Amino acid sequence: MRPFEYVRVGSTSSLADLTAGGSNAKFIAGGTNLLDLMKEDVERPDRVIDISGLPMNKIQRVPGGLSLGALATNTETANHPVVRENYPLLTQAILAGASGQLRNMATNGGNLLQRTRCNYFYDTAMPCNKRDPGTGCAARDGLNKIHAIFGWSESCVATYPGDMANALHALDAIVRLRKPDGDQRQVPIAEFHRLPGDAPQQDTNLEQGELIVAIELPVAAAAFAGRSYYLKVRDRASYAFAMIAVAVALEIDGDTIRRARVVLGGVAHKPWRAAETEALLVGQRLNAELFQRASSAAFLNARPLEHNAYKIELGQRAITRALMRAAHVA
Ligand code: SF4
């Protein structure tokens, strides 16, 4: 592990100086991903800024919805009564991730920023454009069973590993950010993570020194509460990352689908919205045949790699099952 400077801040007043251009500073809160990456020499910050003392851990109603503080833990968020009642998809997704111990430490902001679990990213003996830009991608022609089937580039075929963001995407969440100068801006969760392109070292559209302050869930997403489901398919029942995950949210009028959200995890460098599936669902009546047809549409433009074509059939089946569970169709 390389030497680094540790700074604990109690207010945001010094953040502009601590994260100024040229600095390779990293924020730390729960530390459940960053510390592992530093020990493995994958992350090499010269300064670690401990933000765990900042007042950003509240979960509270705000005009337009519910605000989840960036420093609220995943456990607190999943178990919050308003989240459970109005946004149960988020509770399911959080509880599908990691382990109880990790969720007790991991924060909402950190969850969004967790890095890929591509094996080659962690192996510093192998080329990896995400870890060391310009060195190549060992996974492109290597063992790429867990890698992307959508949106990948020749520079990187990694997937985003989180569960929480898939549900947030389906719920149209907004990420509230604080710039180093104190100004704030909002980014729809759909625009928070990015595809790899030719700069896979950048997982998100965060700018230098920006801090996640909160994640906001809109009131309108509570209409999905009675008809949502999170399905995660993985190699073992817990403490494993998704081969495929599906976040489904439906708004029903009688037995007709008024709004549909289908977001896939484990298939791309960011949560992947199955827009073709949603388009086939809206305006239709709930039934199993429709769900199968709509599930197939999600993969029309898939580009599997040598070892991960299985994700297409697995994904179709996972979407169908998640839709049936969400719609309460036997
Ligand atoms: Fe690195 Fe991305 Fe290639 Fe994995 S897929 S080796 S993270 S560049």
Side-chain angles (χ1 to χ4, degrees):
M1 199 164 172
R2 301 178 190 225
F4 60 92
E5 179 189 9
Y6 172 82
V7 185
R8 183 174 168 82
V9 293
S11 78
T12 53
S13 60
S14 58
L15 291 183
D17 289 339
L18 291 169
T19 60
S23 160
N24 186 24
K26 287 276 181 187
F27 296 124
I28 192 168
T32 56
N33 191 205
L34 180 63
L35 289 179
D36 283 348
L37 292 166
M38 289 172 66
K39 288 180 204 167
E40 298 290 337
D41 200 31
V42 175
E43 292 274 15
R44 301 153 189 165
D46 50 27
R47 176 179 293 149
V48 172
I49 305 169
D50 185 344
I51 59 169
S52 59
L54 295 180
M56 302 192 311
N57 61 350
K58 286 194 169 52
I59 299 174
Q60 57 191 346
R61 292 186 192 273
V62 294
L66 184 70
S67 174
L68 312 172
L71 292 177
T73 68
N74 288 177
T75 296
E76 290 165 342
T77 304
N79 293 327
H80 192 279
V82 178
V83 176
R84 280 190 172 271
E85 182 173 347
N86 292 347
Y87 310 103
L89 181 68
L90 181 59
T91 295
Q92 288 182 11
I94 293 173
L95 296 181
S99 65
Q101 293 93 332
L102 284 167
R103 293 193 295 268
N104 288 342
M105 286 298 295
T107 63
N108 292 332
N111 193 315
L112 294 187
L113 297 177
Q114 62 182 299
R115 307 210 68 189
T116 185
R117 264 59 184 189
C118 170
N119 297 331
Y120 300 107
F121 177 64
Y122 284 80
D123 184 347
T124 55
M126 300 300 289
C128 172
N129 287 322
K130 187 180 281 296
R131 175 179 15 88
D132 296 309
T135 57
C137 172
R140 176 65 183 87
D141 296 313
L143 293 173
N144 43 40
K145 175 187 167 191
I146 65 171
H147 293 75
I149 58 173
F150 291 112
W152 53 266
S153 70
E154 290 299 328
S155 295
C156 179
V157 295
T159 57
Y160 170 73
D163 291 293
M164 181 178 178
N166 302 327
L168 292 174
H169 196 135
L171 298 171
D172 298 326
I174 298 289
V175 186
R176 185 175 291 280
L177 305 174
R178 182 194 183 280
K179 297 181 180 186
D181 65 5
D183 285 352
Q184 292 201 4
R185 68 177 178 121
Q186 298 179 30
V187 177
I189 187 73
E191 296 168 21
F192 183 79
H193 296 98
R194 61 185 297 282
L195 293 177
D198 57 5
Q201 68 274 21
Q202 296 172 15
D203 293 342
T204 71
N205 288 311
L206 276 175
E207 295 170 6
Q208 171 80 24
E210 274 190 321
L211 184 66
I212 302 173
V213 174
I215 301 160
E216 293 178 5
L217 295 166
V219 168
F224 293 128
R227 305 275 186 165
S228 60
Y229 195 78
Y230 192 80
L231 178 63
K232 180 174 182 177
V233 183
R234 46 191 157 173
D235 277 334
R236 58 174 185 253
S238 73
Y239 197 40
F241 295 93
M243 291 188 285
I244 289 272
V246 187
V248 163
L250 303 174
E251 184 179 346
I252 306 296
D253 182 3
D255 64 354
T256 299
I257 302 169
R258 291 292 174 219
R259 285 197 298 160
R261 296 284 186 275
V262 179
V263 178
L264 303 177
V267 298
H269 201 257
K270 59 184 288 186
W272 191 261
R273 190 152 172 189
E276 302 88 348
T277 299
E278 295 176 4
L280 285 174
L281 293 171
V282 172
Q284 303 299 313
R285 302 174 84 170
L286 302 170
N287 72 82
E289 186 278 327
L290 168 69
F291 293 162
Q292 282 187 350
R293 192 157 37 87
S295 301
S296 297
F299 296 90
L300 292 176
N301 297 314
R303 289 191 302 146
L305 302 162
E306 184 178 358
H307 303 292
N308 67 3
Y310 74 94
K311 289 193 178 189
I312 294 176
E313 183 176 355
L314 184 65
Q316 290 170 345
R317 290 169 182 253
I319 295 175
T320 301
R321 180 178 295 185
L323 284 167
M324 292 181 71
R325 292 279 172 87
H328 309 160
V329 171

